[in-house]
Amino acid sequence: MDWTDWQRVLKWRALEEGDADGVLVNAERRREATAHTRAGLASEEITGDVLEERSESFVDKRAEWLEREAVGWRGDLIHVLDLLRVPQGRWSWALAGWGLALVTGYWFTDLGQAGEFNLLALPLVGLLAWNAVVIVLGLLCELMPTSAVAGRGGWVAEFLAHGISRMGKATKEVESGVAETVRARYEELAWPLAWRRLQMRLRIWLHVAAALLALGGAAALYARGWSHEYRAVWESTLLGKNEAAAFFETLFKPASKVLRTPVPLDQIAGMHRTLGKVAKPAPALPWIHLYAGTLLVLIVLPRLLLAGLGAARCGRVVAQPARALSWGGYLRALLRAVEGGSERIQVLVHAIEPTAHHREVWDRGVRERFGGMARAEYVRIPAGEEDEFAAAWQPVCANLVMLFNMATTPEAEVQRRLVSDVRQRLLTKHAEPELIVLLDGTSLAGRWSPEKIAGREQLWSQMVEGLASEVIVAVRKESTRAKPPVS
């Protein structure tokens, strides 16, 4: 999948996880999308949290189906989908920057005064030194992506992303309820990937800009030499004639081999300007060829090579972390929603009087765990009659759900003892039963923080450790903008 595909997949995942109650897209439409695109994939095949080839194909096709079906749906859904964006550059910005680099390289290259082409006055040495350092670092970034050097510079992309985000939020009405929850979830999933991609594209852009800067300098050499006759000279306080010859031979050797143009070292002595005089200035054209060739061989080609290498890696830089975004639970929930037959799941409800509001949330938890077609049958356990109930209760199937009020602080003498007694009764009929503890948090939405809910869940998990196969929390996410589900 390319970046556009990943954005589409993450949009629909964020929408489904942020809209757990089906305010924007109801459960029936979600199950329909899964049934049309799963191609026989079963929840039992999802064994980890990383996307594999088959599960990746499933989420891609499912998101594409949902997006196609979304055309003509009500405006609230389309509005929320439009909010789900990540910061990214524009081609107009890149082209403007590259044009500026080309012009800068042209105007910064000057052949000298009074018809003299002073070889050491040109910024070639400094330009080559700087590019040598950057090219080495660029190779480390591209060929060794896990190195410490490769991780530097991400703050630039992150800074740009935050800046663009603040600018966007300053010009839009702040969303609330389901829309804000969905957008927050999308930013949690997609923005780290967008930062990585933005960082990679920024490096590619800079490589191309450096190549154009050098090309602008090379073009300036020939453009200025077209209408004026220049003679090549050199002068230096630090270099003598022998040192200058060695320096020019080393500097221009790569371009000399590529262009098959020898470095005219025999002219070096006569080109030396000392005391304001030059014994025998040389024709500038061979040196212009060598100068331009050096820019091409040592700057333009390596920079374009690094840009191409970065472009080839850009997709993998995004895809690898995207496949590791804890997909297991999300995929299993989608697939279980269309699995199962007319299986009866008995739910023992402790000290809660079931209402339609409660059962809506509980049914969803049961279906997500045992399959979308499973039927929940509720049996109430009155408070204070736990022992009598456990002694008289008869199991009806190997799968059992025990439901407790999450707000209740679990006690070993009450809740754990009840779970233990029920489990013992279950073992008398089934050798390998599955006992699930479902915690009802429908009354806690908006009153308890996520941290407090997580802490209470951990407390319950510790209390029933060794007895229950799994502990599931059922919370209805109340929305200040709640509307009827899409039909």
Side-chain angles (χ1 to χ4, degrees):
M1 295 194 297
D2 59 19
W3 176 234
T4 301
D5 297 330
W6 281 116
Q7 288 183 84
R8 181 174 60 238
V9 168
L10 294 177
K11 280 183 180 182
W12 284 100
R13 176 178 171 180
L15 189 142
E16 292 179 288
E17 293 180 339
D19 179 28
D21 297 325
V23 174
L24 297 170
V25 181
N26 65 19
E28 182 60 33
R29 297 302 291 268
R30 301 181 190 190
R31 288 196 292 269
E32 184 182 1
T34 302
H36 275 84
T37 56
R38 70 185 181 117
L41 183 65
S43 59
E44 291 79 9
E45 299 177 52
I46 310 300
T47 57
D49 283 336
V50 178
L51 278 181
E52 298 178 352
E53 183 177 355
R54 191 176 179 191
S55 54
E56 181 178 332
S57 175
F58 163 61
V59 294
D60 183 29
K61 291 178 180 178
R62 185 175 183 275
E64 185 179 359
W65 188 92
L66 283 167
E67 188 170 272
R68 184 172 61 251
E69 291 296 312
V71 177
W73 290 7
R74 77 173 185 208
D76 290 338
L77 172 62
I78 304 302
H79 174 65
V80 172
L81 289 175
D82 287 341
L83 292 175
L84 306 184
R85 299 177 183 177
V86 294
Q88 52 190 357
R90 297 180 180 178
W91 276 109
S92 58
W93 299 352
L95 293 176
W98 290 339
L100 180 62
L102 187 64
V103 172
T104 301
Y106 183 92
W107 289 108
F108 272 37
T109 302
D110 189 4
L111 290 180
Q113 303 294 328
E116 289 186 347
F117 177 20
N118 188 342
L119 299 181
L120 294 179
L122 296 172
L124 177 61
V125 179
L127 194 60
L128 288 173
W130 165 250
N131 276 274
V133 172
V134 174
I135 288 170
V136 170
L137 294 178
L139 285 172
L140 288 175
C141 289
E142 305 302 339
L143 301 180
M144 300 174 61
T146 59
S147 66
V149 175
R152 306 298 183 187
W155 64 271
V156 176
E158 186 170 341
F159 174 78
L160 292 174
H162 276 303
I164 295 172
S165 173
R166 286 194 295 270
M167 290 168 56
K169 289 180 180 178
T171 58
K172 293 181 180 179
E173 180 183 355
V174 177
E175 300 294 327
S176 61
V178 172
E180 184 175 354
T181 302
V182 171
R183 180 163 64 177
R185 181 56 177 153
Y186 180 69
E187 291 183 358
E188 181 183 356
L189 292 170
W191 275 53
L193 304 178
W195 290 341
R196 289 190 181 209
R197 183 172 181 270
L198 191 59
Q199 177 188 356
M200 174 67 75
R201 289 171 67 85
L202 182 61
R203 288 208 299 264
I204 295 172
W205 183 92
L206 290 174
H207 287 316
V208 176
L212 290 172
L213 186 72
L215 281 176
L221 293 175
Y222 291 102
R224 291 188 169 92
W226 173 262
S227 57
H228 294 83
E229 181 182 2
Y230 286 92
R231 311 295 289 180
V233 300
W234 65 273
E235 63 177 338
S236 175
T237 301
L238 303 179
L239 300 180
K241 295 179 181 180
N242 293 333
E243 292 82 359
F247 174 78
F248 288 129
E249 182 180 19
T250 303
L251 179 64
F252 293 125
K253 187 174 183 178
S256 175
K257 289 185 175 296
V258 172
L259 300 177
R260 297 182 180 180
T261 300
V263 182
L265 298 177
D266 56 326
Q267 301 175 0
I268 295 295
M271 294 164 52
H272 187 199
R273 183 169 63 188
T274 180
L275 299 176
K277 297 181 181 180
V278 183
K280 189 177 180 181
L285 185 57
W287 296 100
I288 289 177
H289 288 327
L290 291 170
Y291 191 110
T294 300
L295 291 173
L296 178 66
V297 173
L298 298 185
I299 297 180
V300 176
L301 292 182
R303 288 288 199 154
L304 293 180
L305 178 62
L306 284 172
L309 188 61
R313 284 190 59 247
C314 193
R316 295 195 298 272
V317 166
V318 172
Q320 186 174 356
R323 295 189 182 102
L325 288 174
S326 300
W327 291 92
Y330 172 71
L331 289 173
R332 284 188 287 270
L334 292 180
L335 295 170
R336 284 170 179 165
V338 296
E339 294 175 345
S342 57
E343 184 179 7
R344 294 167 57 198
I345 305 297
Q346 194 172 51
V347 181
L348 306 184
V349 183
H350 180 253
I352 304 175
E353 188 64 41
T355 65
H357 174 77
H358 286 108
R359 290 186 180 185
E360 179 187 352
V361 181
W362 300 347
D363 285 345
R364 186 176 68 232
V366 171
R367 286 195 300 267
E368 289 178 354
R369 181 60 182 80
F370 295 101
M373 305 303 293
R375 293 186 298 111
E377 296 182 355
Y378 297 97
V379 178
R380 186 171 180 269
I381 306 175
E385 300 181 14
E386 292 84 3
D387 293 342
E388 294 81 358
F389 177 87
W393 175 71
Q394 293 294 328
V396 296
C397 63
N399 297 324
L400 177 68
V401 175
M402 297 193 68
L403 196 149
F404 297 93
N405 189 339
M406 190 175 189
T408 302
T409 301
E411 299 178 2
E413 296 80 6
V414 181
Q415 286 81 6
R416 180 174 176 83
R417 180 178 176 179
L418 175 60
V419 174
S420 178
D421 291 346
V422 168
R423 185 173 185 274
Q424 290 301 320
R425 296 285 296 175
L426 197 59
L427 286 170
T428 61
K429 294 289 186 71
H430 305 281
E432 297 182 357
E434 185 170 18
L435 193 158
I436 307 297
V437 169
L438 182 63
L439 302 178
D440 173 53
T442 53
S443 63
L444 305 180
R447 298 195 298 114
W448 282 22
S449 66
E451 293 76 14
K452 187 173 181 179
I453 292 178
R456 182 56 57 89
E457 178 185 1
Q458 183 178 8
L459 182 61
W460 274 94
S461 298
Q462 294 171 350
M463 183 59 66
V464 299
E465 185 177 3
L467 300 176
S469 305
E470 187 176 354
V471 175
I472 301 175
V473 177
V475 179
R476 182 179 182 88
K477 298 180 179 179
E478 301 293 347
S479 171
T480 58
R481 299 181 61 207
K483 295 181 177 66
V486 176
S487 59

